[in-house]
Amino acid sequence: MFLRNLNISKKLMLINLIASGFAMILLVSSIALIVLISSKNNLVHELKSQAHIMGENLAASIAFNDTESAQALLRSLHWTPYIKQVVVLDNTGKIFTSYPQQTILNIKSDGVWGSLSSVQIQQKIRVSNQMIGEIYINASLNHIYAQLGKFVLFALITLLFAAALGMLMLRRLQTYITKPIVGLTNSMRVISSTDNYALRFNLDSKDELGELANGFNIMLSRIQSHQTELDTELTRRKQAEDRLHQLAFYDDVTRLPNRHYFKERLESAIASARRNKTSCCVMVIDLDDFKIVNDTLGHHVGDDLLLAIALHLSHSLRTSDMLCRIGGDEFALILENIQSVDQVKQVSEKVIDIMSLPFVLGEKKVFISASIGASLFPEDTTDIPTLLRNADAAMYSAKNNGKNHCQMYAHEMEAKNIKRFSQENALRLALEQNELFLVYQPQIDLGSNKTVGFEALLRWDNPNLGSVNLADFIPIAEETGLIIPIGEFVLSTACLQAQKWRERFGADIAISVNLSGRQLLRPNIVERIMDIVKSTGLPYHLLDIELTESILMDRSKETLNKLEKLSNLGITISVDDFGTGYSSMSYLKRYPIDTLKIDQSFISDLPDDANDAAITLAIIAMGKSLGMTIIAEGVETEAQLAFLKMHECNRVQGYLLGHPMSAEKAEQFIINESNLFAEPTPPLGVVKT
């Protein structure tokens, strides 16, 4: 831990100091040990030489037992200070003489022995190879230790001087190592604190440190490059996130908040109203007939119109009001802190007034209106989904009641919505569960008084809803697209039934089938009609296709081509409910129309109402002049029948002549039809069967 916290310079210094100190101690210790061993060995050799010399000199003294001469010889040893003891023994092992006198020596085995402080040798004294005694010498090692201490002291001083000189040189030399490392470290600190990866550490060296500095600079270059790329990528991501946020919460055409943002803001407004115990309002604004703008002027003009409407409304509303685009041509408005319904009405009137002004789009002036539905929280509901549903219901009510005005939500609308929802869900299963069926109303030729055809009319009986009115479920079928499979079911069933009657009675009885505008818009409608009719075996000339005037107002070349193809096959084309649609009748000469059906609204008051009589006569006259067959619908009285017969109307149908009936009853009607006019005229309203 201590070393870990030191800088690299001190670490190197300390490591070098420890390493050199250990080396010096090891070196001095090794030299001292070698000197000690060498000096001791030299001393042993010297003592052995002296013992040999002394033994030869003492041999005569021992032989003649001359202790004094022997003592005199030993006294000369005081010149040799390291000899501590000398003991001479005779051949019996007794002490003959010693130095110093009265010395007691522990006699050991032959040879050399000693300790850390002294060394002893034993030497036999021989004369003519006969041992006459022994000599023992004990020498001190102090003089060797003294010399060794001086040597060690000198060596240490020398080594310390050398170490100091080495450390000084090392300190100077290690700057070549530590300075670049310190520089790299300082550069790293600066870069870490400033994130400035443009800094570089320059070191003019070819060694490993130079490679390290070069690698450091290369790493910084790559980091700088990656940082630049990262900054660019982060900028792109930020722009992408902003774009995604814009797409997620704002409409791309009007730049208004979209449905997602609207829901979040509505939740916030509802929460605020709950806290403050106030009211808020949701208004749904739907443009009337916006599809016509797209179809006639193009979708780009439609988008310009939506943007212009958004700008006009945004600039005219309070800053606290939130305007959003929640659908194709549908806007929503959140009004907070509502004190009364009058405030809502004032805002809606303001919106209606703005919408009544012409919108200038380039060189075009476009006029459009809007239907508005409004629902209040908490007066109408405290549930957000229900609040939105209520506003939608009120908006559709405004559309159904003439458009271009605001309708406040009323609770009766909920029952109507529930009914429609139930009918729509049930209608989706009606074909699969065989709930749809056809009834047939006879068409009588007034010239021959015979049945010449039947109109196939659709009916729906549901176990839960009962018998559903045609006017209720046909619009639902049109809106949901279910009219396509339902229309094919009607065509197939009607043609198959007409072919059965043809085969059974041997008579060509025509069958009339209504074709919706949505069916006619399908690109392959002619081929589908051909396939269905062929599959039943019915000749084309016995099929009559009934169209409304609104469908025929489509002046597109595709519609004309489709009707001409059907007419060329032999299929007759009829205009249903003639006189109730558009006043322009130029389509009568444009399209291959064979039959006009006078609407029952003109027949019901005949012959008493002069206006209805005039219109009816005009239609008959116009049809005849164009070579068309005229059929009067809704004939219910003898007076109506007599009037139409007198003015040469071609055919009639209505309750007087026959109610819509099942296929079985229609067969019986065909059987009995020859008696319909042969017998006296039945009372009004009575159908003869």
Side-chain angles (χ1 to χ4, degrees), residues 289-300:
D289 302 320
F290 180 74
K291 185 177 182 299
I292 297 176
V293 177
N294 277 337
D295 292 345
T296 56
L297 301 179
H299 287 274
H300 65 288

Side-chain angles (χ1 to χ4, degrees), residues 22 153 448:
F22 180 76
L153 179 61
S448 63

Side-chain angles (χ1 to χ4, degrees), residues 243-254:
R243 179 59 178 162
L244 287 174
H245 182 270
Q246 181 73 20
L247 292 175
F249 293 100
Y250 290 87
D251 175 56
D252 202 35
V253 174
T254 63

